[in-house]
């Protein structure tokens, strides 16, 4: 990154830069924000009206408490674990960065802050109002801390002589370098996981990192897992059977989700084996699974840039997508047609 002006970063982002580049950023100015006194009138709450799911804001850290409650629900087989997960995700980030957009009938003057902290005026019909719990300091530092965790994982993988294929909010797909045997690779990958154990803030013991289920077969055995990545968020994970065919374990619908399915779930592509796990767990629809199968098969055959697209008759039809006229203004866009 280069910039003609000073740029503000969270401290964790500065640390991440040092870890990954070896270079120490030049710090021109630093500011510290500290929380004030505990808000008065806070009272304990029972989620779902259940005594087992109580949170006391006077003594509990809300975010770690929610994860602990979700772990407890998971052990008990309580389906409400999903509700707790959604609650934890939304209250640990989303509400602090919420901006609500509204379209004004005519342009209004708005103030825009640049990266150097200087404001300037502009005119726009797109008006943004912060949500009820908007707090940019929290929103920024939470995501910066998550990126620091990824940087730590990347640095630890590099220290172990390992590579990585892709990463996301809280995960890193560690890759085995050429020439390293699998047992050595697994041992080093486990060392990366174990390094994070002292950083665990939750009641459940162990590391905050863990091996994903896609690494294991239905019998719980570790199976060599491969990644085929096209770009950010467009990848598939798969095993290879004894005939050299891919067995897809997870795939991304990113870049395909805007298209209407060219054929239904009950009309799969001829010759493409059925998925070994439910499509919901794979993260794609059947036509998207079939396409990934064709992409990976072409890649394994040495022609990743030449994917045959005649494997289903419906693919000869024009591609279609849904248009969502969610407001009168968007509906007027269609008047011409």
């Amino acid at each position: 990154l280069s910039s003609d002006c000073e740029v503000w970063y969270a401290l964790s982002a500065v640390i991440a830069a040092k870890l990954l580049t070896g270079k120490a950023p030049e710090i021109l100015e630093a500011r510290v924000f500290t929380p004030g006194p505990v808000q008065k009138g806070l009272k304990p709450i029972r989620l779902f009206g259940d005594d087992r799911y109580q949170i006391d804001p006077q003594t509990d850290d809300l975010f770690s408490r929610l994860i602990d409650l979700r772990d407890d629900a998971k052990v008990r087989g309580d389906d409400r674990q999903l509700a707790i997960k959604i609650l934890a995700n939304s209250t640990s980030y989303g509400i602090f960065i919420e901006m609500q957009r509204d379209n004004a009938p005519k342009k209004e003057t708005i103030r825009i802050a640049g990266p150097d902290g200087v404001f300037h005026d502009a005119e726009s019909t797109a008006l943004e109002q912060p949500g009820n719990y908007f707090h940019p300091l929290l929103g920024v530092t939470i995501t910066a801390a998550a990126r620091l965790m990824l940087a730590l994982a990347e640095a630890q993988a590099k220290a172990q002589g390992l590579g990585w294929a892709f990463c996301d909010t809280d995960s890193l797909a560690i890759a085995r370098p050429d020439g390293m045997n699998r047992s050595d690779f697994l041992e080093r990958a486990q060392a990366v996981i174990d390094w994070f154990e002292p950083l665990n803030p939750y009641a459940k013991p162990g590391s905050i990192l863990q091996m994903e289920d896609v690494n294991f077969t239905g019998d719980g055995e570790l199976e060599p897992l491969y990644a085929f990545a096209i770009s950010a968020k467009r990848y598939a994970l798969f095993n290879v059977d004894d005939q050299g065919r891919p067995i897809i374990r997870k795939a991304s619908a990113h870049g395909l989700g805007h298209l209407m399915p060219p054929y239904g779930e009950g009309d799969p592509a001829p010759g493409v084996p059925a998925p070994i796990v439910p499509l919901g767990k794979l993260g794609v629809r059947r036509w998207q699974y079939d396409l990934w199968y064709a992409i990976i098969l072409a890649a394994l055959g040495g022609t990743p840039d030449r994917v045959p697209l005649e494997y289903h008759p419906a693919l000869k039809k024009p591609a279609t997508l849904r248009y969502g006229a969610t407001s009168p203004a968007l509906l007027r866009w269609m008047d011409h047609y």
Side-chain angles (χ1 to χ4, degrees):
L1 173 73
S2 62
S3 174
D4 295 330
C5 62
E6 302 168 5
V7 181
W8 287 98
Y9 282 95
L11 176 61
S12 50
V14 177
I15 297 171
K18 171 65 175 176
L19 282 172
L20 298 181
T21 68
K23 301 176 183 178
E26 181 186 0
I27 299 174
L28 304 176
E29 184 180 350
R31 295 185 182 181
V32 177
F33 298 91
T34 55
V38 176
Q39 181 180 327
K40 294 181 179 179
L42 296 179
K43 298 178 181 179
I45 186 173
R46 292 177 300 150
L47 300 182
F48 321 113
D50 192 326
D51 288 334
R52 295 174 298 180
Y53 298 107
Q54 181 162 295
I55 301 174
D56 187 345
Q58 299 278 1
T59 57
D60 294 332
D61 179 290
L62 172 66
F63 312 122
S64 57
R65 177 63 176 157
L66 284 172
I67 301 303
D68 290 340
L69 291 177
R70 187 210 172 192
D71 289 339
D72 292 343
K74 212 169 183 179
V75 170
R76 284 195 288 266
D78 189 336
D79 290 339
R80 292 179 292 188
Q81 61 172 293
L82 180 58
I84 300 173
K85 178 182 178 180
I86 294 171
L87 178 61
N89 287 346
S90 59
T91 57
S92 66
Y93 171 64
I95 63 174
F96 300 122
I97 213 71
E98 179 189 7
M99 295 294 291
Q100 298 174 355
R101 173 176 166 156
D102 190 20
N103 291 322
K106 61 180 181 179
K107 289 185 177 181
E108 296 185 18
T109 301
I110 59 175
R111 296 191 74 201
I112 300 176
D116 54 0
V118 176
F119 287 85
H120 63 275
D121 292 338
E123 289 193 339
S124 175
T125 57
L127 308 181
E128 290 183 339
Q129 294 293 331
N132 290 335
Y133 301 98
F134 181 75
H135 198 308
L137 291 176
L138 287 176
V140 167
T141 51
I142 288 169
T143 49
R147 289 192 296 273
L148 175 58
M149 179 180 164
L150 286 176
L152 288 167
E154 184 180 343
Q156 287 302 309
K158 184 178 181 181
Q160 292 288 339
L162 306 175
W164 57 277
F166 60 87
C167 63
D168 209 338
T169 308
D170 59 355
S171 61
L172 186 75
I174 299 176
R176 179 175 65 91
D178 292 338
M180 181 182 292
N181 64 56
R182 297 193 183 282
S183 59
D184 190 18
F185 167 60
L186 290 172
E187 184 177 330
R188 294 182 185 215
Q190 188 61 50
V192 175
I193 294 173
D194 294 341
W195 187 90
F196 283 85
E197 189 167 341
L199 298 178
N200 182 4
Y202 307 117
K204 184 179 178 181
S207 174
I208 52 178
L209 293 185
Q210 61 184 9
M211 283 196 187
E212 296 283 358
D213 292 341
V214 290
N215 290 286
F216 301 92
T217 65
D219 299 327
E221 297 292 326
L222 276 170
E223 182 79 9
L225 191 67
Y226 300 90
F228 186 87
I230 296 172
S231 62
K233 293 187 178 293
R234 297 178 185 179
Y235 64 87
L237 303 177
F238 62 97
N239 309 126
V240 178
D241 67 14
D242 53 9
Q243 298 181 48
R245 297 174 303 185
I247 302 173
I248 299 176
R249 303 299 304 275
K250 186 177 181 181
S252 166
H254 197 271
L256 298 173
H258 66 293
L259 295 171
M260 299 288 286
Y263 52 86
E265 305 289 315
D267 182 27
V272 177
I276 63 169
V277 294
L279 288 168
K281 283 193 173 183
L282 284 180
V284 291
R285 294 185 173 186
R286 180 59 199 247
W287 78 271
Q288 295 163 342
Y289 163 85
D290 293 345
L291 176 59
W292 269 115
Y293 186 88
I295 291 172
I296 298 171
L297 203 60
L300 293 176
T303 59
D305 56 337
R306 295 193 300 277
V307 179
L309 295 177
E310 66 277 357
Y311 56 82
H312 196 289
L315 297 180
K316 296 179 181 178
K317 301 176 182 178
T320 59
L321 57 90
R322 187 188 305 275
Y323 177 78
T326 53
S327 71
L330 291 178
L331 184 59
R332 284 195 293 272
W333 288 7
M334 304 305 293
D335 287 349
H336 171 73
Y337 302 98

